[in-house]
Amino acid sequence: MLKDINIYFYHIQPDSIHWVKEYKSLYYEHLMKLGANVRYVDKLDSLDGFLILGHYNEYIRFKKEKNTDKIKTIAQSNATALNPFIYQITKSQEIKFLYDIDINITARKKHTQILKSNYLYTNIYTVGFPIRIPKKKSYTKTKGLAVIAGRLTPDKLVYESLRIAIDEILDIEKIIVCYPKSQKDLLQYYPKRKIIDYQECDNEKLLKYLEKAEYYIISSLGDTSSVSTVEALYRCCKLITSEYRKMPSHFPYYYDNQKNLEYYNPKQCAKKLLDIIKNYQPL
């Protein structure tokens, strides 16, 4: 029975990454609407139920807790070491993590298939990835405005996105490069041109730029998918993707378009996840 299932989140910390805050708050909101018993906790001591983890550091936190034998863990796989351009985790670390988590979930079917076929692991499900869907359906665009967003690290291939904007899109008049806080020192390695405007952005500022942008350009090889791409599509941007992400020798990325945005609908994600929880059977 649903009333007998308890679902927990660790309290959201003020310094949490934006996507972690949104991810947890959206699941909390929509699982509650579906009638689940959901609450935030600081400790899991002797509690019984399911813990939905946010960032990897919450997994580390959980491993340090005591008396958690009755807790089943749920974790989102957003990237994989099977991608040769991912440097944050090794294959051995990923295997340990996957087998240590009770329910692994992914945003898309291809990600699930890749993990199952390469790691011979079955306890992983395609649920989606909840994002906050804007209420507006149309936007007034600035003609010739392109947005590029992400870390200024090599795996994101911001250089390639700039090349596409300058060399391949004929009507580009301005390019805004949104980069995260603390990476300003890396700007010294990037080209200075009148049409390029480098902006340190949080998510709120990025979304405002996307509302005005005609184009969103992504070349990153360090992502399996990109939440900012979906946010751009919801804001009616024309999506431009580098050919590098389509080369057969590279990791098989999947592409988002207007037809598959349901994977990011928080209501649908919560419903799928709750069905998995209700039918969960330990391996």
Side-chain angles (χ1 to χ4, degrees):
M1 295 291 290
L2 185 57
K3 66 179 182 179
D4 298 324
I5 299 173
N6 297 309
I7 302 173
Y8 306 106
F9 296 88
Y10 283 128
H11 277 290
I12 298 174
Q13 302 301 314
D15 59 348
S16 293
I17 302 169
H18 166 77
W19 75 258
V20 174
K21 292 180 182 178
E22 184 170 273
Y23 178 87
K24 291 166 70 171
S25 62
L26 285 172
Y27 263 133
Y28 182 93
E29 174 188 346
H30 289 277
L31 287 169
M32 284 279 286
K33 288 179 179 178
L34 290 169
N37 298 323
V38 190
R39 64 186 172 109
Y40 288 106
V41 296
D42 288 314
K43 289 187 177 181
L44 296 158
D45 192 8
S46 301
L47 292 177
D48 186 354
F50 295 82
L51 171 67
I52 300 178
L53 297 165
H55 197 267
Y56 183 80
N57 57 18
E58 292 189 348
Y59 164 70
I60 302 300
R61 176 179 173 180
F62 171 76
K63 296 298 289 182
K64 293 179 179 179
E65 284 216 49
K66 299 178 180 179
N67 301 321
T68 59
D69 295 345
K70 296 181 180 180
I71 292 292
K72 303 300 180 185
T73 50
I74 301 172
Q76 182 96 25
S77 175
N78 290 327
T80 171
L82 295 166
N83 178 348
F85 298 95
I86 290 291
Y87 60 87
Q88 295 94 336
I89 189 171
T90 65
K91 289 183 181 179
S92 59
Q93 289 172 329
E94 184 172 29
I95 291 169
K96 183 180 184 304
F97 178 75
L98 287 172
Y99 278 83
D100 209 20
I101 297 295
D102 297 291
I103 300 175
N104 288 276
I105 56 178
T106 71
R108 299 289 293 279
K109 290 180 181 178
K110 184 173 285 188
H111 194 151
T112 300
Q113 292 165 358
I114 289 168
L115 294 178
K116 283 185 174 181
S117 61
N118 283 274
Y119 292 144
L120 303 179
Y121 184 76
T122 58
N123 205 20
I124 184 164
Y125 308 88
T126 305
V127 171
F129 189 95
I131 71 168
R132 198 168 298 282
I133 299 172
K135 293 180 181 180
K136 288 180 66 175
K137 302 299 181 184
S138 62
Y139 296 86
T140 301
K141 296 296 185 176
T142 301
K143 184 172 176 57
L145 175 62
V147 168
I148 299 166
R151 296 191 304 272
L152 299 176
T153 48
D155 58 309
K156 296 297 185 178
L157 287 188
V158 172
Y159 264 113
E160 169 65 4
S161 294
L162 285 169
R163 185 199 65 78
I164 291 171
I166 294 169
D167 293 344
E168 296 187 16
I169 307 175
L170 299 179
D171 62 345
I172 289 291
E173 297 180 10
K174 185 177 182 180
I175 306 163
I176 296 176
V177 178
C178 294
Y179 65 92
K181 188 177 179 181
S182 79
Q183 292 199 327
K184 192 171 183 178
D185 289 349
L186 295 178
L187 288 178
Q188 63 182 304
Y189 303 110
Y190 283 83
K192 308 295 187 292
R193 296 203 184 186
K194 288 184 179 180
I195 66 168
I196 305 175
D197 182 10
Y198 296 96
Q199 291 286 330
E200 184 178 281
C201 294
D202 58 13
N203 186 256
E204 183 179 354
K205 191 173 181 180
L206 169 61
L207 295 181
K208 288 181 179 178
Y209 283 133
L210 292 177
E211 290 178 0
K212 298 176 182 178
E214 184 177 3
Y215 300 100
Y216 182 71
I217 307 173
I218 180 169
S219 301
S220 173
L221 296 178
D223 298 300
T224 306
S225 66
S226 169
V227 170
S228 62
T229 300
V230 181
E231 291 172 332
L233 286 168
Y234 268 118
R235 287 157 181 83
C236 306
C237 297
K238 298 173 186 176
L239 180 61
I240 309 294
T241 304
S242 169
E243 289 297 315
Y244 282 120
R245 287 172 61 88
K246 302 175 185 177
M247 293 172 67
S249 61
H250 286 166
F251 183 79
Y253 302 92
Y254 49 77
Y255 301 95
D256 293 298
N257 53 52
Q258 294 291 346
K259 294 181 180 179
N260 56 34
L261 290 180
E262 73 273 7
Y263 283 101
Y264 302 90
N265 183 312
K267 182 178 179 181
Q268 296 300 319
C269 293
K271 186 178 183 303
K272 290 178 184 177
L273 181 56
L274 191 56
D275 286 341
I276 292 166
I277 290 172
K278 288 190 292 185
N279 295 301
Y280 171 74
Q281 295 291 333
L283 292 177

